[in-house]
Amino acid sequence: MYDIENYYNASTIAEAVELLKEHPDARIISGGSDVLIKIREGKFAGTSLVSIRDIKEIKGVERMESGDIYIGAGTVFSHITKDPVIRKWIPVLGEAVDQVGGPQVRNIGTIGGNICNGAVSADSVPTLFSLNALLRLSDGKGGRTVPISRFYLGPGKVDLGPGEILTHVVIPEREYTGYHGHYIKYSMRNAMDIATLSCSVVSRIDAEKGILEDIRITFGVAAPVPYRCIKTETALKGMTVGEELYDAIEKLVREEINPRDSWRASREFRLQIGGEIARRALIRTAELAGGDRS
């Protein structure tokens, strides 16, 4: 049994915003893979729900004339993985969300829910950080656009105000053109397990010169919120692609991230894994760019 007080179904963004304003204590639900579990556990017992599952405006992927890619917040993971725009321009995001749960979860879970849940282990989020994604929020008054790097306020807390809905994830054209990415999720089991640690590396490499021109490194479960390794990124830019670079990222990442001890893994283990998966992810992006000379 699920202890739900009231259930409201919205068919448009405007209707959903209005329902949230009328029922400020209500929670948004789409696929329900997170919310329903928390209701059943008693964490959200007695809550009212506003369903946005039937809002067509927030579904699908589109590359605009500007080159910016818009991903509807209600788009399920399996759609993102298979979408031709994602596969052509930002395949790393498709690969990342393909590691969420099992097929059933990926068929109902949405990228918007993965973001707004605020979980540091969310598989889509490190890659979105590394792509400098923007989040389009609607409140019925024009809304606002927020960099994803400013959206996470703390464990399970995001910058989503009363009556606001995440409608689209925007990847600006300048943030993915010429870049290649790779996401690695380390978990204790190979199937349907949340990340013990995860890392998404997005890089731009001059293949002819073998120079790392730009790099973004983001970890999940290495801090209370998704963590960009800005110091490491700065130190690596301009280095020649090869073993010296790969050794450097491994060393610098371990000096920068600050994971905690938990029942899943110790801090020391996460530091060891962190350096290794960052190294492997960078090597893969270099291979994709054709600039790996090691």
Side-chain angles (χ1 to χ4, degrees):
M1 292 289 294
Y2 293 96
D3 186 1
I4 300 170
E5 183 174 0
N6 292 296
Y7 180 88
Y8 307 98
N9 190 61
S11 57
T12 65
I13 294 173
E15 186 179 356
V17 169
E18 190 61 32
L19 283 167
L20 289 171
K21 290 180 178 178
E22 291 176 4
H23 310 281
D25 294 329
R27 298 182 183 278
I28 297 173
I29 187 171
S30 184
S33 56
D34 287 322
V35 173
L36 290 178
I37 290 173
K38 291 180 180 179
I39 291 175
R40 191 165 188 174
E41 291 175 343
K43 296 177 182 177
F44 292 169
T47 191
S48 293
L49 301 176
V50 173
S51 174
I52 60 173
R53 183 185 59 182
D54 294 333
I55 301 179
K56 295 181 180 179
E57 303 164 80
I58 60 172
K59 294 184 178 181
V61 179
E62 184 177 2
R63 186 170 186 264
M64 305 300 185
E65 289 186 8
S66 64
D68 295 351
I69 296 173
Y70 277 63
I71 306 169
T75 310
V76 299
F77 300 125
S78 57
H79 179 126
I80 291 171
T81 299
K82 298 174 184 176
D83 188 89
V85 171
I86 299 295
R87 286 189 168 187
K88 180 176 181 179
W89 300 103
I90 46 174
V92 59
L93 181 59
E95 294 165 359
V97 300
D98 201 38
Q99 297 188 48
V100 177
Q104 298 93 333
V105 172
R106 293 194 292 272
N107 283 334
I108 62 169
T110 64
I111 191 168
N114 206 224
I115 295 168
C116 293
N117 189 39
V120 72
S121 58
D123 286 301
S124 69
V125 175
T127 294
L128 294 175
F129 264 69
S130 289
L131 289 170
N132 289 325
L134 305 174
L135 304 180
R136 181 63 185 162
L137 308 175
S138 179
D139 61 357
K141 300 178 182 178
R144 61 190 176 112
T145 300
V146 180
I148 195 169
S149 59
R150 299 179 188 172
F151 191 64
Y152 282 75
L153 305 178
K157 297 180 181 179
V158 296
D159 184 19
L160 196 62
E164 281 190 320
I165 294 176
L166 171 61
T167 62
H168 291 88
V169 179
V170 183
I171 314 297
E173 189 270 344
R174 66 180 179 276
E175 303 294 353
Y176 68 82
T177 298
Y179 288 84
H180 294 85
H182 189 56
Y183 173 75
I184 296 178
K185 170 183 179 176
Y186 180 88
S187 59
M188 303 307 289
R189 296 183 300 165
N190 290 329
M192 294 188 288
D193 196 6
I194 66 172
T196 300
L197 196 71
S198 62
C199 178
S200 184
V201 172
V202 172
S203 72
R204 186 181 68 226
I205 292 172
D206 184 327
E208 292 186 2
K209 297 180 180 179
I211 300 295
L212 179 66
E213 295 181 332
D214 193 21
I215 185 169
R216 296 92 171 256
I217 308 160
T218 308
F219 278 88
V221 207
V225 297
Y227 185 81
R228 272 282 296 270
C229 294
I230 302 297
K231 293 180 181 179
T232 299
E233 293 172 2
T234 301
L236 297 180
K237 290 176 186 177
M239 289 187 67
T240 300
V241 176
E243 284 301 314
E244 184 178 347
L245 171 64
Y246 304 146
D247 290 343
I249 190 174
E250 188 172 349
K251 175 178 180 292
L252 292 171
V253 157
R254 290 188 180 128
E255 293 174 353
E256 184 169 0
I257 63 174
N258 187 28
R260 65 184 179 90
D261 286 310
S262 76
W263 67 270
R264 288 185 176 275
S266 68
R267 179 179 186 275
E268 289 73 19
F269 182 75
R270 284 192 167 103
L271 286 172
Q272 177 64 31
I273 292 298
E276 181 62 30
I277 63 176
R279 178 191 184 102
R280 293 185 186 187
L282 176 54
I283 290 173
R284 180 57 182 153
T285 67
E287 292 171 349
L288 292 169
D292 185 0
R293 299 185 175 186
S294 61

